[in-house]
């Protein structure tokens, strides 16, 4: 988080190209959200963490609004903030906007990440079945683009058996 904050400060002082720096802002917000999950603070400390996430996710939206490549990530980050706040309807609204935005601009990786996060959100707070459907959709997108990290994560979460590279080679030869 320290390095992301330093990078943010340097970017604000120098105004680097937004195309290259846009993701910094929602990565910062996501880092604060992950810190909140790990530490799980209570009382004043939780409020302090939530204020930092709010500031970072609002800034991410503002900084990426004109850059479609990064805006879906900022929307997703804002959705996660609202989920942490307990505002589930707003969270769902931002997740759906993130998915729609990524689809509109054919950003498969961002679409799959948003579906993944939305699926986890639904599975945890709302509807387990709908959440599993979203996770399956994201699995198929990640598989089509070859995002191995998420393919493995989702295969484990969904209970899908992964074939070894040797097994895949044998299947191709048949």
């Amino acid at each position: 988080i320290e390095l992301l904050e330093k990078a943010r400060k340097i970017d604000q002082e120098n105004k680097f190209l937004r195309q290259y720096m846009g993701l910094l802002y929602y990565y910062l917000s996501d880092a604060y959200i992950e810190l909140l999950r790990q530490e799980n603070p209570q009382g004043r400390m939780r409020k302090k963490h939530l204020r930092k996430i709010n500031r970072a996710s609002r800034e991410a939206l503002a900084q990426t609004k004109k850059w479609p490549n990064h805006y879906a990530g900022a929307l997703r980050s804002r959705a996660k903030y609202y989920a942490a706040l307990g505002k589930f309807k707003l969270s769902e609204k931002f997740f759906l906007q993130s998915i729609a935005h990524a689809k509109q601009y054919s950003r498969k990786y961002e679409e799959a990440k948003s579906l993944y996060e939305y699926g986890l959100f639904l599975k945890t707070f709302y509807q387990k079945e709908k959440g599993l459907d979203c996770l399956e959709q994201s699995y198929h997108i990640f598989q089509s683009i070859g995002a191995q990290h998420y393919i493995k994560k989702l295969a484990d979460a969904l209970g899908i058996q992964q074939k070894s590279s040797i097994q895949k080679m044998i299947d191709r030869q048949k």
Side-chain angles (χ1 to χ4, degrees):
I1 291 179
E2 276 181 43
L3 294 176
L4 289 170
E5 283 288 355
K6 282 182 182 179
R8 182 178 133 311
K9 185 178 177 190
I10 292 169
D11 180 52
Q12 288 176 338
E13 290 169 356
N14 296 295
K15 288 294 178 194
F16 294 115
L17 292 174
R18 194 65 35 231
Q19 179 65 20
Y20 302 109
M21 297 303 294
L23 56 90
L24 162 72
Y25 292 92
Y26 67 85
Y27 280 178
L28 180 61
S29 177
D30 285 348
Y32 279 131
I33 289 167
E34 190 56 37
L35 183 65
L36 179 73
R37 283 184 188 154
Q38 287 175 3
E39 291 184 358
N40 197 20
Q42 301 300 317
R44 278 191 232 151
M45 283 304 290
R46 181 171 178 80
K47 286 181 182 179
K48 183 179 176 185
H49 275 64
L50 288 170
R51 277 194 303 271
K52 285 182 179 181
I53 297 167
N54 181 33
R55 180 185 55 106
S57 67
R58 274 193 1 243
E59 186 175 25
L61 285 173
Q63 293 289 339
T64 61
K65 180 85 173 158
K66 296 178 183 175
W67 297 95
N69 286 345
H70 303 302
Y71 194 58
L75 288 166
R76 182 178 58 248
S77 184
R78 190 70 174 167
K80 291 192 290 186
Y81 162 70
Y82 282 125
L85 205 57
K87 294 186 176 185
F88 300 133
K89 291 291 182 191
L90 271 174
S91 180
E92 186 170 24
K93 174 187 161 191
F94 276 90
F95 273 123
L96 293 174
Q97 284 179 356
S98 175
I99 293 164
H101 186 81
K103 271 185 187 177
Q104 179 183 357
Y105 290 98
S106 299
R107 305 281 297 155
K108 293 291 185 190
Y109 182 75
E110 290 298 328
E111 178 187 353
K113 274 184 76 173
S114 293
L115 278 166
Y116 172 71
E117 294 284 347
Y118 182 50
L120 293 177
F121 164 75
L122 288 174
K123 194 174 150 192
T124 304
F125 296 111
Y126 272 148
Q127 307 152 355
K128 188 174 182 177
E129 288 300 314
K130 191 175 175 184
L132 288 173
D133 288 344
C134 288
L135 291 174
E136 281 183 39
Q137 286 177 39
S138 70
Y139 174 77
H140 292 299
I141 294 170
F142 282 131
Q143 202 170 34
S144 73
I145 61 175
Q148 293 303 316
H149 173 73
Y150 281 101
I151 291 171
K152 181 163 177 20
K153 261 177 124 168
L154 282 160
D156 292 343
L158 295 170
I160 298 171
Q161 283 286 45
Q162 291 283 102
K163 289 184 178 181
S164 69
S165 56
I166 294 171
Q167 185 62 41
K168 287 179 189 176
M169 194 168 62
I170 292 170
D171 288 348
R172 274 188 247 142
Q173 290 180 352
K174 286 182 181 180

